[in-house]
Amino acid sequence: MLVTLRWMLPSMTPSERAMVLGDMRRNAPPGIFDTALSVMRPHLSNGEWGKLARALELAR
């Protein structure tokens, strides 16, 4: 699934990314959510990452 997310999430709008990852945060084991974030980070610009971090209320 992480391979699929790697390609899907960068193509989504910021609100779609936040919705998908927010759902993952609520329903997946914490380790999976953290891994998904680490897989995604290199594939998002700083601006895109900032929007996602704000939407998910991630610690900086």
Side-chain angles (χ1 to χ4, degrees):
M1 175 155 184
L2 291 176
V3 172
T4 303
L5 284 176
R6 180 268 176 259
W7 292 102
M8 283 178 37
L9 288 177
S11 301
M12 293 179 174
T13 66
S15 60
E16 290 170 332
R17 275 186 218 120
M19 184 177 63
V20 168
L21 288 171
D23 186 57
M24 180 182 284
R25 178 189 251 173
R26 288 186 296 280
N27 295 301
I32 300 299
F33 175 73
D34 295 338
T35 300
L37 289 180
S38 67
V39 166
M40 289 312 308
R41 178 62 185 105
H43 304 288
L44 298 175
S45 70
N46 288 336
E48 291 169 328
W49 179 256
K51 287 179 185 178
L52 182 60
R54 283 189 298 278
L56 295 175
E57 299 178 350
L58 300 177
R60 299 247 171 182

